[in-house]
Amino acid sequence: MTLVKFNQHPAKSFNGLFNDLFGNHPLNRFWNEDANQFFSALPPVNIVESKDAYKLDVVAPGFEKSDFKINLEGDQLTISVEKKENAIQEGDKQVRREFSFKSFKRSFSLDESVDIEKINAKYENGVLALVLPKKEEKQVANKEITIA
């Protein structure tokens, strides 16, 4: 026999149901009004590997080419951005601000196959594209060794 229990509560909105289920759970930051700040902390990155190179595409709209700093320390490639807030002119009142582009920092560990001397970057249409060419593999000569 199956027993089904019904609650006699009025219908709730999605937000009301979400709050009932998760309360003060850390995932709530995805649904609050400051979610923009959470997602802007780390921009999404696509990484594609081909036989000749790795290609990284970092989605970072709203920046200038001069805002980016790309550093290589050992095997760590670090991409960082620092952008100053635009000041609101005196007499203007900001009613709502839904987007802001501040700063971020992403680091990637490179393997020994990357030719660090040939890394190049290009920023266009809100996407920072880095090409990390691979070193040419040394051809290992096949040789049969005779036993004397």
Side-chain angles (χ1 to χ4, degrees), residues 2-3 13 16 23 27-28 49 63 111 118 124 143 146:
T2 304
L3 178 64
S13 68
L27 288 176
N28 272 345
E49 179 182 8
F63 295 104
D111 65 18
K118 295 181 181 176
E124 189 173 59
K143 180 179 176 183
T146 58

Side-chain angles (χ1 to χ4, degrees), residues 58-62 122-128:
V58 181
V59 177
K122 181 177 171 183
Y123 182 66
E124 189 173 59
N125 297 326
V127 177
L128 176 66

Side-chain angles (χ1 to χ4, degrees), residues 65-91:
K65 183 169 67 169
S66 60
D67 294 333
F68 289 91
K69 289 184 182 176
I70 303 171
N71 294 321
L72 185 64
E73 293 180 19
D75 67 344
Q76 289 290 314
L77 178 72
T78 303
I79 303 167
S80 60
V81 172
E82 183 83 27
K83 182 153 182 150
K84 308 279 190 274
E85 288 278 328
N86 291 339
I88 298 173
Q89 294 181 0
E90 190 173 327

